Amino acid sequence: MSDSVQHRIELKGITKAFPGVLANDAVSFKVKPGEIHALLGENGAGKSTLVKMIYGIMQPDAGEIIWDDEPVMVANPKAARKMGVGMVFQHFSLFEAMTVLENIALGMDGSYSQASLEEKIREVLHAYDLKLEPHRIVSTLSVGERQRIEIVRALLLEPRLLIMDEPTSVLTPQEVGQLFETLRKLSKTGCSILYISHKLHEIRDLCEAATILRGGKVVGECDPREETPKSMAEMMIGGNLKQISKAKTREFGADRFVADGLTVPGEGDFGVALDDICFKVRAGEIFGIAGVAGNGQNELLLALSGEQPSSNANAILLDGQPIAAMDAVGRRNLGLCAVPEERNGHGAVVDFSLTDNAILTARERMGMASSGILKGGVATAYTSKVIDDFAVKTTGPGSLAGSLSGGNLQKFIMGREILQDPEVLIVSQPTWGVDAGAAAAIHQALVDLAENGSAIVVISQDLDELLAISDRMAVINEGRMSKTLNVGEASIDEIGLLMGGVHGDPFATAEMTEAVHVH
Amino acid sequence: MTYSLLIPILMTIVGAATPILLAALGELVVEKSGVLNLGVEGMMLIGAVTGFAVTATTGSAPLGVIAAMIASAASAGLFGFLTLTLTANQVATGLALTIFGIGLSALAGEGYVGQTVDVFGSVFPASLSEHPTLRVIFGYSPLVYLSLALVAAVGWFLSRTRAGLILRAVGESDLSAHSIGYSVIGVRYMAVLFGGAMAGIAGCFYSLVLTPMWAEQLTAGRGWIALALVVFAGWRPVRLLLGAYLFGAVMTLELHAKAAGFSLVAPEFLAAMPYLATIAVLAAISARKTGMSLAPACLGKPFKPSS
């Protein structure tokens, strides 16, 4: 690769407006050949819009893109690929019913015979030490494998700039490690990488330079290796990262929400069953449930929220009342609200307006219906309140849930449940894919809700989050729950051991639990 | 059943099957691109009347077929403009196209009711096409052989060519295809126009080959059977061929039963058989959810590139 050019790409004053919002406002930055350059910013800061313009999916209203020191017009993705720009999308642009090979062929310009393309794919897989079977149907592949298709597709074009839009938000830690190795190999060949992520510690590990966007404007540049995740987060939100204010001495009431011998059989060959889950949450308390993904968290949420009622009515008690046999609506009417992990399609209907989404769960509690007739005014007013109180970035209560960015939709869903002032709130991954500023706001809202006497259960894989907000916590492993730990007394190492170190060995888990309690 | 009866029965089955095969083949390509055009019946009628009128005026059946293809493709283009460019609802627009086609063809065909035209000549010498036995292979209108060639061509196009791969990709995930840089709307326009042209040939098969004359609503709801056939065939061209001949057999049941003096069941019931079979097949297919279906994931979904 010739590295005679000074900069692989330079943006000068790029501006892009959408109806009602200025997505990019005179954005300028430069990327050197072979540099791994991070693009940082909160949800809605304009990062995705910016890279879409570099890849030719959108055109800027004003400004210049300079490629290898020469001004260019990127008319469409085909032109971008011809220049040497590859892109791996946040939401993969894959065709589920087709094979890996067909998917890659669709991303190539010009025709190849199947055999020669397969040959080239195998060469790239070998060069970068990636595993992928060209003849598999995409719908049978894991998320990590799907991303590899996108990466191979980009690598086959021998890109000189690779854009990665939130590549790690769906990967396991092992897959992230493999991805970073691939990217480092690639950058050594002179290919620049533009890397978008929320995960600031990853950016510190990987990137050599960073441009920080806020509200569509460039607000700073830094070398991530010399920053801390906290300092970068503060540059992104443009202020101090709010510490959660939590009263030191908390008064807890009586046991409000109790799981007592909750057991759920496994489904088919997959899905971890829940085995004799027992825990108590007092009024005013936040109870954290940690664990590595896939150890029964999903089943636990379904069982606690009422989506999957249990035959043993006494397995779950709300203020002493047996509720385990009730469905989700029955429990909701008693004041038990829930937020599932998956926002799109589970927590919210993407093709519905925010108001309609509010009606779906807040109808009874907030008096949005009387004798079967909806009260539109009440629903809209409540929706507007959620939007205001939780600083949801949207054009109004009438906008579609699917038009919100992931973090904003999460804020809306959390706000929708929290403002109903529930007696019990069950949440799974409350800040998944949410930027630091919004996450802090959601954490504070949960703490405030608890201080008003609600019992809250937080299921999360983010240990830092649980340690920051919960009063007591337990670890779920293969559908079994460890004994309850007081957060102030347990160290992160000990909990980490419970989650991973003794994973799969119930006896060891029990011993570890005892050990933690001795402290 | 005597041997002499078998040949005419087979030939009527092929005759009944060919137009729905042609129309369904067009619709299969349309649906593979992710568009659901329920206006097949209307486009067939427009093709039928145009083909008949042009043939009656010029005396040339091939010219009539070409005119029918153009006219039906034009009506499909209107559908495309409404649903693709203006992103109108595809189901509603398709139904409107059918009603429009029924009305327009009745109006345009008013002066041609009762007239007859010269039918297509055979492509094979009379010694073959009128041979008492061999005519079961050689004795059809050229459009029958065209339909068979088109089945092979469409099957090859969809599975073996790059353009076919792109067409399937657009139907599978419009957003992905767009983000890679394919023109979703452009591909869908081409597919919709092709579907229209095929419906046009199917329509004039009725007015130029089967009857051959023009009467209001000549196609008698066969466009709907073509739509069902696409689902029945699981969006596979070869299965479409088998399905069309199966439906053709069911459709001619009434005729044969009458000829054979079969009177156990009311003839009205037999006449309703193809439509009942359509409903039964559709219900059976949607009940069998687990089976591998080649249904395009974006079927009937409007595509708005701005998002």
Side-chain angles (χ1 to χ4, degrees):
Chain A
M1 296 257 168
S2 87
D3 281 352
S4 53
V5 293
Q6 225 183 335
H7 293 107
R8 174 85 342 120
I9 191 165
E10 179 178 356
L11 301 193
K12 269 189 187 166
I14 295 287
T15 299
K16 178 80 183 174
F18 293 118
V21 58
L22 193 57
N24 287 142
D25 184 3
V27 172
S28 305
F29 67 86
K30 299 169 186 172
V31 181
K32 293 192 196 92
E35 179 179 81
I36 306 184
H37 191 107
L39 212 48
L40 293 176
E42 297 191 80
N43 298 317
K47 299 163 294 183
S48 292
T49 306
L50 192 62
V51 293
K52 276 182 185 164
M53 287 188 285
I54 299 176
Y55 196 57
I57 298 174
M58 295 174 187
Q59 273 64 47
D61 297 337
E64 245 187 331
I65 298 176
I66 295 167
W67 177 259
D68 285 349
D69 298 339
E70 288 185 27
V72 286
M73 269 286 300
V74 194
N76 52 45
K78 212 170 189 166
R81 287 195 293 265
K82 208 168 166 200
M83 266 163 42
V85 182
M87 178 149 175
V88 175
F89 294 90
Q90 180 181 6
H91 303 291
F92 305 146
S93 51
L94 295 178
F95 306 94
E96 298 253 327
M98 298 186 175
T99 64
V100 172
L101 192 59
E102 285 178 321
N103 266 282
I104 293 175
L106 280 165
M108 308 288 289
D109 299 313
S111 315
Y112 293 86
S113 74
Q114 276 224 343
S116 72
L117 184 60
E118 192 176 336
E119 178 71 15
K120 286 185 84 164
I121 291 170
R122 293 202 189 275
E123 273 169 29
V124 167
L125 288 175
H126 184 75
Y128 289 92
D129 203 14
L130 296 167
K131 283 196 183 63
L132 196 61
E133 178 46 56
H135 292 286
R136 288 274 295 276
I137 303 276
V138 172
S139 58
T140 65
L141 300 180
S142 75
V143 180
E145 287 172 309
R146 289 174 193 217
Q147 187 184 51
R148 257 170 258 156
I149 302 177
E150 292 264 4
I151 292 172
V152 170
R153 188 146 82 178
L155 292 179
L156 279 170
L157 300 165
E158 294 171 2
R160 288 184 295 149
L161 172 69
L162 182 64
I163 303 170
M164 308 279 300
D165 191 357
E166 306 252 4
T168 60
S169 58
V170 289
L171 300 186
T172 66
Q174 291 75 15
E175 288 171 328
V176 171
Q178 286 175 1
L179 172 68
F180 282 10
E181 253 173 60
T182 306
L183 293 182
R184 289 195 187 102
K185 267 188 201 169
L186 187 62
S187 83
K188 287 209 183 78
T189 69
C191 176
S192 308
I193 295 167
L194 198 55
Y195 188 88
I196 301 180
S197 176
H198 279 136
K199 299 187 179 173
L200 297 169
H201 57 275
E202 288 181 358
I203 285 176
R204 272 189 71 200
D205 282 355
L206 184 71
C207 302
E208 297 144 28
T211 297
I212 297 149
L213 291 176
R214 192 190 321 138
K217 287 194 182 97
V218 174
V219 292
E221 287 175 0
C222 67
D223 184 342
R225 290 167 298 188
E226 290 163 11
E227 301 286 333
T228 65
K230 184 167 181 287
S231 66
M232 284 190 282
E234 285 177 350
M235 277 191 265
M236 275 162 57
I237 61 174
N240 289 327
L241 199 56
K242 253 202 317 201
Q243 289 297 316
I244 298 165
S245 74
K246 189 169 157 186
K248 276 276 176 258
T249 49
R250 305 268 299 275
E251 293 285 320
F252 299 123
D255 289 344
R256 182 136 231 195
F257 186 72
V258 177
D260 184 13
L262 177 65
T263 300
V264 173
E267 248 180 74
D269 300 336
F270 304 104
V272 183
L274 298 179
D275 185 9
D276 194 25
I277 299 282
C278 299
F279 64 90
K280 293 176 179 176
V281 191
R282 293 166 290 183
E285 186 175 39
I286 299 180
F287 187 83
I289 298 175
V292 176
N295 273 291
Q297 287 95 330
N298 289 338
E299 290 79 0
L300 184 61
L301 180 94
L302 296 182
L304 295 181
S305 70
E307 279 186 61
Q308 190 173 18
S310 162
S311 51
N312 172 14
N314 287 311
I316 304 174
L317 304 173
L318 199 169
D319 286 335
Q321 185 183 350
I323 60 163
M326 287 183 177
D327 63 8
V329 174
R331 294 186 202 187
R332 205 167 265 288
N333 291 344
L334 290 176
L336 183 148
C337 293
V339 178
E341 176 178 342
E342 175 59 46
R343 299 183 264 271
N344 298 324
H346 196 179
V349 183
V350 287
D351 290 332
F352 273 20
S353 70
L354 294 179
T355 305
D356 288 346
N357 270 295
I359 291 171
L360 285 178
T361 75
R363 183 181 62 237
E364 299 299 333
R365 269 184 95 72
M366 305 314 290
M368 292 179 189
S370 65
S371 17
I373 308 294
L374 291 176
K375 295 179 181 169
V378 178
T380 310
Y382 180 71
T383 310
S384 302
K385 186 168 159 50
V386 172
I387 292 171
D388 290 345
D389 288 10
F390 282 79
V392 180
K393 276 182 208 147
T394 170
T395 49
S399 43
L400 294 184
S403 70
L404 269 62
S405 70
N408 269 309
L409 186 56
Q410 183 70 10
K411 283 199 279 186
F412 175 78
I413 294 171
M414 290 299 297
R416 176 183 72 182
E417 304 304 328
I418 287 172
L419 289 187
Q420 292 181 47
D421 202 12
E423 269 78 43
V424 176
L425 180 65
I426 317 282
V427 291
S428 182
Q429 303 285 20
T431 56
W432 181 60
V434 173
D435 60 60
I442 287 174
H443 288 156
Q444 187 62 52
L446 285 171
V447 168
D448 293 345
L449 181 68
E451 275 170 7
N452 286 333
S454 298
I456 300 174
V457 177
V458 180
I459 304 170
S460 177
Q461 289 162 47
D462 184 345
L463 208 48
D464 295 335
E465 168 172 274
L466 292 177
L467 291 173
I469 63 171
S470 45
D471 302 298
R472 291 189 302 163
M473 63 185 293
V475 177
I476 189 167
N477 191 325
E478 303 223 321
R480 294 187 188 88
M481 195 101 110
S482 73
K483 285 187 181 173
T484 300
L485 318 172
N486 284 321
V487 165
E489 296 162 19
S491 80
I492 199 161
D493 291 340
E494 288 162 339
I495 299 168
L497 273 176
L498 276 181
M499 287 167 65
V502 290
H503 179 78
D505 185 347
F507 295 104
T509 308
E511 276 167 32
M512 278 307 302
T513 313
E514 297 300 332
V516 171
H517 269 260
V518 169
H519 283 274
Chain B
M1 199 175 284
T2 62
Y3 179 71
S4 63
L5 211 55
L6 190 63
I7 300 290
I9 286 179
L10 284 178
M11 292 192 72
T12 41
I13 289 174
V14 172
T18 298
I20 57 170
L21 175 62
L22 284 164
L25 199 58
E27 180 68 11
L28 184 142
V29 171
V30 176
E31 292 190 10
K32 269 289 181 196
S33 80
V35 179
L36 182 65
N37 184 354
L38 294 183
V40 176
E41 176 78 3
M43 298 189 299
M44 280 169 72
L45 281 168
I46 289 172
V49 75
T50 310
F52 188 83
V54 170
T55 308
T57 313
T58 64
S60 160
L63 212 57
V65 172
I66 289 165
M69 290 170 69
I70 292 171
S72 296
S75 69
L78 180 65
F79 170 86
F81 178 71
L82 291 170
T83 58
L84 301 174
T85 304
L86 305 180
T87 63
N89 180 291
Q90 294 179 4
V91 170
T93 311
L95 292 175
L97 177 59
T98 286
I99 298 169
F100 173 70
I102 293 172
L104 184 72
S105 62
L107 181 70
E110 227 186 336
Y112 296 97
V113 174
Q115 284 191 32
T116 51
V117 288
D118 288 339
V119 290
F120 263 104
S122 176
V123 277
F124 298 105
S127 61
L128 287 174
S129 66
E130 284 165 24
H131 185 279
T133 310
L134 288 180
R135 68 193 174 109
V136 78
I137 297 171
F138 299 107
Y140 303 104
S141 154
L143 294 182
V144 171
Y145 306 106
L146 176 69
S147 73
L148 296 175
L150 281 169
V151 169
V154 167
W156 174 79
F157 170 80
L158 286 177
S159 64
R160 289 276 172 267
T161 68
R162 183 170 167 80
L165 178 64
I166 293 169
L167 182 123
R168 283 189 288 136
V170 164
E172 194 56 46
S173 172
D174 45 13
L175 287 175
S176 297
H178 177 68
S179 63
I180 295 177
Y182 293 113
S183 165
V184 173
I185 299 293
V187 169
R188 289 188 173 170
Y189 257 112
M190 299 306 285
V192 164
L193 290 176
F194 175 76
M198 292 292 284
I201 307 178
C204 53
F205 196 82
Y206 287 102
S207 62
L208 296 182
V209 179
L210 280 183
T211 26
M213 50 167 257
W214 167 252
E216 262 187 48
Q217 302 216 31
L218 181 68
T219 53
R222 300 289 152 76
W224 299 106
I225 294 180
L227 277 167
L229 191 59
V230 177
V231 183
F232 173 74
W235 291 270
R236 292 175 177 90
V238 174
R239 270 215 219 162
L240 195 72
L241 179 69
L242 299 175
Y245 282 90
L246 188 69
F247 270 80
V250 177
M251 279 189 273
T252 51
L253 212 58
E254 183 207 3
L255 272 173
H256 303 313
K258 231 185 252 169
F262 179 76
S263 58
L264 263 180
V265 195
E268 289 80 5
F269 179 77
L270 290 175
M273 275 300 285
Y275 306 96
L276 294 174
T278 303
I279 295 170
V281 161
L282 289 182
I285 284 173
S286 44
R288 187 204 57 180
K289 255 282 174 275
T290 48
M292 198 180 110
S293 162
L294 288 178
C298 284
L299 185 58
K301 241 175 54 181
F303 174 68
K304 289 178 185 141
S306 56
S307 61

mmCIF file of all heavy atoms in Angstrom, chain A residues 161-188:
data_model
loop_
_atom_site.group_PDB
_atom_site.id
_atom_site.type_symbol
_atom_site.label_atom_id
_atom_site.label_comp_id
_atom_site.label_asym_id
_atom_site.label_seq_id
_atom_site.Cartn_x
_atom_site.Cartn_y
_atom_site.Cartn_z
ATOM 1 N N LEU A 161 -9.834 2.198 3.922
ATOM 2 C CA LEU A 161 -10.476 2.757 5.114
ATOM 3 C C LEU A 161 -11.636 1.818 5.460
ATOM 4 O O LEU A 161 -12.479 1.535 4.615
ATOM 5 C CB LEU A 161 -11.029 4.162 4.848
ATOM 6 C CG LEU A 161 -11.881 4.750 5.982
ATOM 7 C CD1 LEU A 161 -11.020 5.069 7.189
ATOM 8 C CD2 LEU A 161 -12.617 5.985 5.529
ATOM 9 N N LEU A 162 -11.625 1.304 6.679
ATOM 10 C CA LEU A 162 -12.704 0.422 7.106
ATOM 11 C C LEU A 162 -13.489 1.137 8.205
ATOM 12 O O LEU A 162 -12.908 1.606 9.186
ATOM 13 C CB LEU A 162 -12.130 -0.896 7.627
ATOM 14 C CG LEU A 162 -13.157 -1.943 8.067
ATOM 15 C CD1 LEU A 162 -14.004 -2.403 6.895
ATOM 16 C CD2 LEU A 162 -12.464 -3.138 8.706
ATOM 17 N N ILE A 163 -14.802 1.236 8.001
ATOM 18 C CA ILE A 163 -15.639 1.894 9.001
ATOM 19 C C ILE A 163 -16.348 0.806 9.803
ATOM 20 O O ILE A 163 -16.979 -0.084 9.236
ATOM 21 C CB ILE A 163 -16.680 2.805 8.319
ATOM 22 C CG1 ILE A 163 -15.985 3.828 7.433
ATOM 23 C CG2 ILE A 163 -17.548 3.488 9.365
ATOM 24 C CD1 ILE A 163 -16.927 4.608 6.536
ATOM 25 N N MET A 164 -16.214 0.873 11.125
ATOM 26 C CA MET A 164 -16.884 -0.102 11.985
ATOM 27 C C MET A 164 -17.875 0.662 12.861
ATOM 28 O O MET A 164 -17.475 1.472 13.695
ATOM 29 C CB MET A 164 -15.876 -0.803 12.894
ATOM 30 C CG MET A 164 -14.679 -1.423 12.203
ATOM 31 S SD MET A 164 -14.981 -3.025 11.481
ATOM 32 C CE MET A 164 -15.458 -3.995 12.838
ATOM 33 N N ASP A 165 -19.167 0.384 12.695
ATOM 34 C CA ASP A 165 -20.193 1.100 13.464
ATOM 35 C C ASP A 165 -20.654 0.213 14.618
ATOM 36 O O ASP A 165 -21.337 -0.780 14.391
ATOM 37 C CB ASP A 165 -21.360 1.465 12.534
ATOM 38 C CG ASP A 165 -22.332 2.429 13.184
ATOM 39 O OD1 ASP A 165 -22.138 2.762 14.368
ATOM 40 O OD2 ASP A 165 -23.287 2.852 12.505
ATOM 41 N N GLU A 166 -20.251 0.528 15.821
ATOM 42 C CA GLU A 166 -20.614 -0.221 17.037
ATOM 43 C C GLU A 166 -20.428 -1.727 16.852
ATOM 44 O O GLU A 166 -21.373 -2.493 17.015
ATOM 45 C CB GLU A 166 -22.088 0.040 17.392
ATOM 46 C CG GLU A 166 -22.425 1.495 17.508
ATOM 47 C CD GLU A 166 -22.647 1.928 18.939
ATOM 48 O OE1 GLU A 166 -22.468 1.102 19.846
ATOM 49 O OE2 GLU A 166 -22.977 3.097 19.137
ATOM 50 N N PRO A 167 -19.224 -2.149 16.513
ATOM 51 C CA PRO A 167 -19.072 -3.565 16.150
ATOM 52 C C PRO A 167 -19.164 -4.518 17.334
ATOM 53 O O PRO A 167 -19.455 -5.680 17.155
ATOM 54 C CB PRO A 167 -17.677 -3.623 15.526
ATOM 55 C CG PRO A 167 -16.945 -2.494 16.137
ATOM 56 C CD PRO A 167 -17.961 -1.422 16.412
ATOM 57 N N THR A 168 -18.899 -4.053 18.556
ATOM 58 C CA THR A 168 -18.777 -5.008 19.656
ATOM 59 C C THR A 168 -20.012 -5.101 20.532
ATOM 60 O O THR A 168 -20.043 -5.890 21.469
ATOM 61 C CB THR A 168 -17.589 -4.644 20.561
ATOM 62 O OG1 THR A 168 -17.830 -3.335 21.085
ATOM 63 C CG2 THR A 168 -16.300 -4.669 19.807
ATOM 64 N N SER A 169 -21.069 -4.318 20.220
ATOM 65 C CA SER A 169 -22.193 -4.274 21.158
ATOM 66 C C SER A 169 -22.905 -5.614 21.251
ATOM 67 O O SER A 169 -23.648 -5.856 22.182
ATOM 68 C CB SER A 169 -23.171 -3.174 20.754
ATOM 69 O OG SER A 169 -23.623 -3.383 19.454
ATOM 70 N N VAL A 170 -22.692 -6.507 20.279
ATOM 71 C CA VAL A 170 -23.387 -7.787 20.307
ATOM 72 C C VAL A 170 -22.442 -8.973 20.492
ATOM 73 O O VAL A 170 -22.864 -10.110 20.398
ATOM 74 C CB VAL A 170 -24.176 -7.994 18.995
ATOM 75 C CG1 VAL A 170 -25.363 -7.063 18.952
ATOM 76 C CG2 VAL A 170 -23.291 -7.761 17.799
ATOM 77 N N LEU A 171 -21.162 -8.686 20.743
ATOM 78 C CA LEU A 171 -20.183 -9.775 20.773
ATOM 79 C C LEU A 171 -19.850 -10.202 22.201
ATOM 80 O O LEU A 171 -19.941 -9.412 23.133
ATOM 81 C CB LEU A 171 -18.899 -9.338 20.070
ATOM 82 C CG LEU A 171 -19.028 -8.940 18.607
ATOM 83 C CD1 LEU A 171 -17.658 -8.679 18.029
ATOM 84 C CD2 LEU A 171 -19.734 -10.002 17.798
ATOM 85 N N THR A 172 -19.443 -11.443 22.357
ATOM 86 C CA THR A 172 -18.929 -11.900 23.646
ATOM 87 C C THR A 172 -17.498 -11.378 23.795
ATOM 88 O O THR A 172 -16.853 -11.025 22.806
ATOM 89 C CB THR A 172 -18.886 -13.433 23.705
ATOM 90 O OG1 THR A 172 -17.917 -13.883 22.755
ATOM 91 C CG2 THR A 172 -20.228 -14.050 23.398
ATOM 92 N N PRO A 173 -16.973 -11.343 25.019
ATOM 93 C CA PRO A 173 -15.603 -10.840 25.219
ATOM 94 C C PRO A 173 -14.581 -11.568 24.358
ATOM 95 O O PRO A 173 -13.662 -10.941 23.825
ATOM 96 C CB PRO A 173 -15.362 -11.094 26.705
ATOM 97 C CG PRO A 173 -16.701 -11.091 27.322
ATOM 98 C CD PRO A 173 -17.634 -11.637 26.293
ATOM 99 N N GLN A 174 -14.741 -12.885 24.182
ATOM 100 C CA GLN A 174 -13.790 -13.631 23.358
ATOM 101 C C GLN A 174 -13.848 -13.161 21.912
ATOM 102 O O GLN A 174 -12.821 -12.987 21.253
ATOM 103 C CB GLN A 174 -14.087 -15.132 23.413
ATOM 104 C CG GLN A 174 -13.811 -15.786 24.745
ATOM 105 C CD GLN A 174 -14.876 -15.461 25.797
ATOM 106 O OE1 GLN A 174 -15.963 -14.981 25.471
ATOM 107 N NE2 GLN A 174 -14.554 -15.705 27.053
ATOM 108 N N GLU A 175 -15.074 -12.947 21.426
ATOM 109 C CA GLU A 175 -15.231 -12.491 20.042
ATOM 110 C C GLU A 175 -14.652 -11.097 19.861
ATOM 111 O O GLU A 175 -14.073 -10.770 18.820
ATOM 112 C CB GLU A 175 -16.709 -12.524 19.645
ATOM 113 C CG GLU A 175 -17.241 -13.922 19.446
ATOM 114 C CD GLU A 175 -18.753 -13.968 19.269
ATOM 115 O OE1 GLU A 175 -19.470 -13.137 19.834
ATOM 116 O OE2 GLU A 175 -19.219 -14.863 18.551
ATOM 117 N N VAL A 176 -14.797 -10.244 20.898
ATOM 118 C CA VAL A 176 -14.222 -8.907 20.829
ATOM 119 C C VAL A 176 -12.705 -9.007 20.693
ATOM 120 O O VAL A 176 -12.095 -8.319 19.868
ATOM 121 C CB VAL A 176 -14.603 -8.082 22.082
ATOM 122 C CG1 VAL A 176 -13.820 -6.777 22.111
ATOM 123 C CG2 VAL A 176 -16.098 -7.820 22.110
ATOM 124 N N GLY A 177 -12.092 -9.914 21.468
ATOM 125 C CA GLY A 177 -10.649 -10.091 21.397
ATOM 126 C C GLY A 177 -10.205 -10.469 19.996
ATOM 127 O O GLY A 177 -9.244 -9.907 19.460
ATOM 128 N N GLN A 178 -10.929 -11.410 19.381
ATOM 129 C CA GLN A 178 -10.590 -11.846 18.013
ATOM 130 C C GLN A 178 -10.730 -10.694 17.022
ATOM 131 O O GLN A 178 -9.900 -10.506 16.142
ATOM 132 C CB GLN A 178 -11.530 -12.969 17.568
ATOM 133 C CG GLN A 178 -11.230 -14.299 18.228
ATOM 134 C CD GLN A 178 -12.258 -15.338 17.859
ATOM 135 O OE1 GLN A 178 -13.189 -15.072 17.098
ATOM 136 N NE2 GLN A 178 -12.109 -16.526 18.414
ATOM 137 N N LEU A 179 -11.807 -9.921 17.213
ATOM 138 C CA LEU A 179 -12.048 -8.802 16.303
ATOM 139 C C LEU A 179 -10.900 -7.808 16.382
ATOM 140 O O LEU A 179 -10.390 -7.345 15.349
ATOM 141 C CB LEU A 179 -13.372 -8.122 16.670
ATOM 142 C CG LEU A 179 -13.661 -6.835 15.925
ATOM 143 C CD1 LEU A 179 -13.921 -7.130 14.460
ATOM 144 C CD2 LEU A 179 -14.846 -6.106 16.534
ATOM 145 N N PHE A 180 -10.455 -7.497 17.594
ATOM 146 C CA PHE A 180 -9.393 -6.508 17.746
ATOM 147 C C PHE A 180 -8.101 -6.995 17.088
ATOM 148 O O PHE A 180 -7.373 -6.211 16.488
ATOM 149 C CB PHE A 180 -9.156 -6.210 19.232
ATOM 150 C CG PHE A 180 -10.194 -5.301 19.816
ATOM 151 C CD1 PHE A 180 -11.340 -4.987 19.099
ATOM 152 C CD2 PHE A 180 -10.034 -4.747 21.072
ATOM 153 C CE1 PHE A 180 -12.305 -4.150 19.622
ATOM 154 C CE2 PHE A 180 -10.993 -3.898 21.602
ATOM 155 C CZ PHE A 180 -12.130 -3.611 20.885
ATOM 156 N N GLU A 181 -7.831 -8.289 17.199
ATOM 157 C CA GLU A 181 -6.634 -8.821 16.546
ATOM 158 C C GLU A 181 -6.715 -8.620 15.039
ATOM 159 O O GLU A 181 -5.756 -8.202 14.396
ATOM 160 C CB GLU A 181 -6.514 -10.315 16.839
ATOM 161 C CG GLU A 181 -5.426 -10.650 17.822
ATOM 162 C CD GLU A 181 -5.484 -12.111 18.181
ATOM 163 O OE1 GLU A 181 -5.340 -12.944 17.267
ATOM 164 O OE2 GLU A 181 -5.707 -12.407 19.374
ATOM 165 N N THR A 182 -7.890 -8.921 14.485
ATOM 166 C CA THR A 182 -8.088 -8.733 13.043
ATOM 167 C C THR A 182 -7.863 -7.275 12.663
ATOM 168 O O THR A 182 -7.176 -6.974 11.679
ATOM 169 C CB THR A 182 -9.521 -9.148 12.650
ATOM 170 O OG1 THR A 182 -9.750 -10.461 13.111
ATOM 171 C CG2 THR A 182 -9.715 -9.087 11.154
ATOM 172 N N LEU A 183 -8.427 -6.374 13.459
ATOM 173 C CA LEU A 183 -8.321 -4.956 13.112
ATOM 174 C C LEU A 183 -6.875 -4.476 13.211
ATOM 175 O O LEU A 183 -6.420 -3.693 12.365
ATOM 176 C CB LEU A 183 -9.224 -4.127 14.040
ATOM 177 C CG LEU A 183 -10.726 -4.371 13.864
ATOM 178 C CD1 LEU A 183 -11.528 -3.467 14.790
ATOM 179 C CD2 LEU A 183 -11.157 -4.141 12.418
ATOM 180 N N ARG A 184 -6.150 -4.962 14.215
ATOM 181 C CA ARG A 184 -4.749 -4.530 14.331
ATOM 182 C C ARG A 184 -3.922 -5.032 13.148
ATOM 183 O O ARG A 184 -3.086 -4.310 12.600
ATOM 184 C CB ARG A 184 -4.153 -5.045 15.648
ATOM 185 C CG ARG A 184 -4.722 -4.314 16.849
ATOM 186 C CD ARG A 184 -3.890 -4.538 18.108
ATOM 187 N NE ARG A 184 -4.572 -3.948 19.242
ATOM 188 C CZ ARG A 184 -5.272 -4.637 20.147
ATOM 189 N NH1 ARG A 184 -5.336 -5.943 20.056
ATOM 190 N NH2 ARG A 184 -5.877 -4.017 21.135
ATOM 191 N N LYS A 185 -4.171 -6.280 12.745
ATOM 192 C CA LYS A 185 -3.470 -6.827 11.563
ATOM 193 C C LYS A 185 -3.752 -5.956 10.353
ATOM 194 O O LYS A 185 -2.867 -5.650 9.557
ATOM 195 C CB LYS A 185 -4.000 -8.235 11.257
ATOM 196 C CG LYS A 185 -3.208 -9.349 11.911
ATOM 197 C CD LYS A 185 -3.696 -10.691 11.371
ATOM 198 C CE LYS A 185 -3.337 -11.815 12.309
ATOM 199 N NZ LYS A 185 -4.001 -13.069 11.960
ATOM 200 N N LEU A 186 -5.021 -5.590 10.230
ATOM 201 C CA LEU A 186 -5.450 -4.822 9.068
ATOM 202 C C LEU A 186 -4.771 -3.453 9.061
ATOM 203 O O LEU A 186 -4.303 -2.983 8.018
ATOM 204 C CB LEU A 186 -6.970 -4.683 9.097
ATOM 205 C CG LEU A 186 -7.615 -4.048 7.883
ATOM 206 C CD1 LEU A 186 -7.350 -4.884 6.648
ATOM 207 C CD2 LEU A 186 -9.108 -3.906 8.106
ATOM 208 N N SER A 187 -4.692 -2.822 10.221
ATOM 209 C CA SER A 187 -4.128 -1.469 10.248
ATOM 210 C C SER A 187 -2.640 -1.517 9.921
ATOM 211 O O SER A 187 -2.092 -0.560 9.377
ATOM 212 C CB SER A 187 -4.371 -0.810 11.605
ATOM 213 O OG SER A 187 -3.403 -1.210 12.534
ATOM 214 N N LYS A 188 -1.973 -2.639 10.216
ATOM 215 C CA LYS A 188 -0.553 -2.763 9.881
ATOM 216 C C LYS A 188 -0.339 -2.777 8.375
ATOM 217 O O LYS A 188 0.734 -2.454 7.889
ATOM 218 C CB LYS A 188 0.021 -4.040 10.495
ATOM 219 C CG LYS A 188 0.188 -3.901 12.005
ATOM 220 C CD LYS A 188 1.330 -4.761 12.531
ATOM 221 C CE LYS A 188 1.409 -4.656 14.045
ATOM 222 N NZ LYS A 188 0.381 -5.493 14.693
#
